[in-house]
Amino acid sequence: MPKTTEATPTNRRPAPRRVAWLLGPAMVAGVAYLDPGNVASNMTAGASFDYLLVWVVVLGNVMAWLIQYLSAKLGIVTGESLPQILGRRLDRRWARRAYWLQAELVAMATDVAEVIGGAVALHLLFGIPLVWGGAITGVVSMLLLVVQSRRGARAFETVLIGLLVMIAIGFTFGLFFAPPDASGVVAGLMPRFEGTNSVLLAASILGATIMPHAIYAHSALSRDRFAPDAPTEAAGLEDARGISTRRLLRATRWDVTIALAVAGTVNLAILLLAAANLAGVEGTDSLEGAYAALRDGLGPLVATMFAVGLLASGLASTSVGAYAGAEIMHGLLRVRVPLLARRLVTLVPALAILAVGVDPTLALVLSQVVLSFGIPFALVPLVALTARRDLLGDYRNRAITTAAGIAAAVFLIALNAVLLWLVFTGG
């Protein structure tokens, strides 16, 4: 059983009377579902395959709801994050380090996507060179992390929710000018693929939708948001908080539902915008090409709103990624690295990719595939731990919840296995 939970005075509030005061952690974790990798994957899917992969976006969002709720529940009930619990349970040092290595690679892939997305947006809006745009994105993300470290969880949530609103407006704006074909959307709900590239994009969409670092982060965000003033035994968390765990979990279900409804709607809107307006248009398999096609086809206002949404996406999601990466390192290696120092280190790979001239959109899509391969390493332990009575007591998963989690894990692992087979055999 977990022994202590870390807390800061800024996180502690009197027991709120309204559920609205308990919302927020899922909104922050939900930002990860709207990062530039999502934009690149969904835009490319819509432009290349019309409405074919609509079902992937919908299915990914349904699975994401279950996964994010389980992550939040783990943090609330135990007062610890998923990396912390795994760090305690992996007795052998080599196992703990190996697990940390794959999680760290996932976190770095996340950083690559988010910084590149911000850089592309700044280039589209202001003509700033990509490398400088990446550096600016990194600096702004550090300022957001300062807000988190100095002003507490609630202030951090407020800033990111504001950016989330900008993202939603920016990416859905174009649909009011060019709505999708209803029959095409309905047809896209039928699960199917068309060749290796569609499987690659499906894995990319799922990697961008069900992001491993969001699983790690959500448990930590819930832990920090509802932490009592002083370190407390897990059995006494409810008394120390002054609010029942059952009520927190009820509010969390609302929190996750709202956050994933927003994220899922925006992700679907991106794919539908591309399918309705960019399919068959040359050059729209890149963010720059998509921006140009939107500008030429729907006008500069729609294109500018798209770029603003992309910029807000990069700025918001990169700070969440840095938060998750620091928690992964602290929980698994038991090493606390300042968020700002970690932000500087993980900024280097993204800037290097931009400097050597790798196609930004290709880098974004491939980074999401890397994330997809990291999903089982986060999802399988999450489902297993939340099903344990000795860890969660009466709040452990019901049998049907565990079965749904297992089904999601099996599906994602099978999709990655098919992807590997198709890539290596040229199928």
Side-chain angles (χ1 to χ4, degrees):
M1 296 287 289
K3 295 183 179 180
T4 61
T5 179
E6 299 177 10
T8 58
T10 56
N11 290 336
R12 179 63 174 152
R13 296 180 182 274
R17 296 181 180 179
R18 296 181 179 180
V19 170
W21 284 106
L22 303 176
L23 306 181
M27 302 293 185
V28 176
V31 167
Y33 290 81
L34 293 171
D35 80 334
N38 290 81
V39 181
S41 296
N42 290 319
M43 289 293 289
T44 303
S48 302
F49 294 99
D50 293 343
Y51 303 99
L52 177 71
L53 299 179
V54 165
W55 68 275
V56 178
V57 177
V58 175
L59 178 62
N61 211 62
V62 171
M63 291 191 294
W65 188 97
L66 172 64
I67 293 164
Q68 292 306 131
Y69 174 68
L70 293 181
S71 177
K73 180 172 75 169
L74 185 68
I76 290 170
V77 177
T78 66
E80 290 188 304
S81 68
L82 176 60
Q84 278 181 296
I85 295 172
L86 290 173
R88 285 191 299 101
R89 289 177 173 262
L90 293 173
D91 296 329
R92 296 182 181 276
R93 181 179 297 180
W94 67 266
R96 195 165 58 247
R97 288 181 175 177
Y99 191 93
W100 164 80
L101 180 60
Q102 63 80 26
E104 191 66 34
L105 290 174
V106 164
M108 291 182 69
T110 302
D111 269 334
V112 167
E114 291 155 356
V115 173
I116 289 178
V120 170
L122 287 171
H123 177 70
L124 295 175
L125 288 169
F126 308 110
I128 298 174
L130 290 176
V131 175
W132 285 107
I136 292 171
T137 302
V139 170
V140 174
S141 71
M142 283 190 272
L143 295 177
L144 293 176
L145 292 172
V146 169
V147 171
Q148 192 273 340
S149 60
R150 295 189 178 182
R151 302 290 295 177
R154 190 68 185 181
F156 186 56
E157 290 170 8
T158 301
V159 173
L160 290 187
I161 289 172
L163 289 171
L164 183 62
V165 172
M166 292 177 59
I167 295 168
I169 294 174
F171 289 141
T172 59
F173 189 77
L175 287 180
F176 294 99
F177 293 84
D181 175 57
S183 61
V185 176
V186 173
L189 293 173
M190 178 65 67
R192 64 192 190 281
F193 296 110
E194 290 181 4
T196 305
N197 286 339
S198 66
V199 179
L200 175 64
L201 278 173
S204 180
I205 290 171
L206 289 172
T209 302
I210 307 172
M211 304 186 78
H213 81 282
I215 299 174
Y216 299 124
H218 202 165
S219 58
L221 288 164
S222 297
R223 174 203 65 194
D224 293 346
R225 174 67 184 285
F226 303 117
D229 289 335
T232 306
E233 292 288 335
L237 276 175
E238 188 167 304
D239 291 337
R241 288 171 176 151
I243 184 171
S244 72
T245 300
R246 195 168 300 280
R247 187 183 181 197
L248 283 179
L249 293 177
R250 186 166 58 249
T252 295
R253 285 192 287 271
W254 278 105
D255 195 22
V256 175
T257 299
I258 295 170
L260 269 297
V262 172
T265 300
V266 175
N267 278 321
L268 187 58
I270 295 170
L271 188 148
L272 297 181
L273 180 66
N277 300 280
L278 305 181
V281 179
E282 187 175 353
T284 54
D285 55 350
S286 69
L287 290 175
E288 297 91 335
Y291 171 85
L294 290 174
R295 181 192 60 208
D296 296 339
L298 301 179
L301 179 59
V302 172
T304 299
M305 292 298 293
F306 171 80
V308 168
L310 181 62
L311 178 60
S313 169
L315 296 177
S317 55
T318 191
S319 58
V320 176
Y323 175 89
E327 182 61 35
I328 289 168
M329 181 172 288
H330 172 60
L332 292 168
L333 296 187
R334 300 162 190 172
V335 174
R336 174 84 57 189
V337 176
L339 280 174
L340 296 183
R342 178 180 173 79
R343 168 74 278 181
L344 287 172
V345 172
T346 54
L347 188 60
V348 173
L351 294 181
I353 288 174
L354 293 172
V356 300
V358 176
D359 177 63
T361 303
L362 176 61
L364 284 173
V365 172
L366 291 179
S367 72
Q368 303 313 295
V369 176
V370 173
L371 295 180
S372 184
F373 283 104
I375 291 170
F377 293 98
L379 180 53
V380 172
L382 176 68
V383 174
L385 290 172
T386 52
R388 295 182 66 95
R389 177 183 286 275
D390 62 338
L391 188 63
L392 268 69
D394 292 338
Y395 299 106
R396 74 190 188 282
N397 295 341
R398 297 178 180 178
I400 190 171
T401 304
T402 300
I406 292 173
V410 169
F411 172 78
L412 292 167
I413 293 170
L415 179 62
N416 288 325
V418 171
L419 172 63
L420 279 177
W421 183 78
L422 289 173
V423 169
F424 288 114
T425 62

